[in-house]
Amino acid sequence: MYNSFRWRVPKHFNIAFECCTRWAQAQDAIKRVAICAHNSAAAGTFYTYFQLQQAADQMSGLLHAHGVRRGDRVAIVLPQRFETAVAYIAVLQMGAVAVPLSQLFGPDALEHRLQDSGAVLAVCDAGTLGGMASVRSRCPALRALVCVDADMPEADIGFVYKPNSPIACVLPAQEAIKTVADDPAVLI
């Protein structure tokens, strides 16, 4: 068995399509749970694949409008929450490269990784935005900071997903880019 095993990797493969889009296109996507978000103050909030894809399409449109293109690196500096999954799906379906950064990194670690990766944009929350803003001037490739919480003065762009809002229905759906199976997707 070991000697005869071979990976069957298709020529074109997009992680976002495989992990979300194909499920969001299923007949029961409006009911199929993708994420259950819990916090200490409330019961779980359930998000379907349809909602995850809708939010990722919104974020992809926003990132594209701010110049993110295939192959660009996008830093994601978020704790575990719904918007983290949204950011990954949005970045990956564009053919951009996700650069996960720990929210525990100090300014030197953030600066080094942003410079080394050449990240053009960073997705943050209220808790990580200050650290990113403090190193921004020393990271010439970094063009914009997106905050997934309410409007924050240090952020260039705000992104708050609101299911079934008029803006959710107006923005066009983003097609997953036909990435080649060995195109870069995540830079750690």
Side-chain angles (χ1 to χ4, degrees):
M1 243 170 95
Y2 174 79
N3 290 331
S4 65
F5 177 79
R6 300 288 179 267
W7 287 106
R8 291 180 185 92
V9 180
K11 180 178 179 180
H12 292 96
F13 185 85
N14 186 292
I15 296 171
F17 179 83
E18 294 299 324
C19 292
C20 184
T21 308
R22 71 185 177 116
W23 298 103
Q25 293 172 348
Q27 194 131 10
D28 62 348
I30 220 127
K31 295 185 276 183
R32 189 178 286 200
V33 175
I35 295 173
C36 178
H38 285 278
N39 65 41
S40 58
T45 302
F46 295 89
Y47 296 95
T48 66
Y49 280 98
F50 179 81
Q51 291 172 309
L52 177 57
Q53 186 65 54
Q54 186 181 54
D57 287 346
Q58 288 178 28
M59 185 176 280
S60 288
L62 185 75
L63 298 179
H64 188 268
H66 286 85
V68 176
R69 300 294 183 262
R70 182 182 189 149
D72 283 344
R73 275 83 54 220
V74 176
I76 300 174
V77 197
L78 294 170
Q80 292 183 9
R81 56 187 285 178
F82 174 67
E83 291 82 4
T84 306
V86 169
Y88 279 99
I89 298 299
V91 168
L92 296 171
Q93 76 181 2
M94 298 176 71
V97 179
V99 181
L101 299 178
S102 171
Q103 70 242 24
L104 301 177
F105 284 155
D108 292 341
L110 286 172
E111 181 181 342
H112 172 75
R113 285 160 178 82
L114 290 168
Q115 287 180 0
D116 192 53
S117 69
V120 299
L121 189 136
V123 182
C124 315
D125 69 353
T128 60
L129 183 59
M132 295 299 291
S134 73
V135 299
R136 180 183 193 171
S137 65
R138 297 183 302 278
C139 300
L142 190 61
R143 297 188 303 252
L145 299 177
V146 176
C147 185
V148 298
D149 289 321
D151 289 334
M152 303 290 290
E154 299 96 342
D156 301 299
I157 308 160
F159 176 84
V160 178
Y161 170 66
K162 294 183 178 143
N164 305 317
S165 70
I167 194 164
C169 302
V170 173
L171 291 173
Q174 300 294 310
E175 289 257 339
I177 298 289
K178 273 187 113 172
T179 51
V180 178
D182 60 358
D183 278 351
V186 179
L187 176 60
I188 299 177

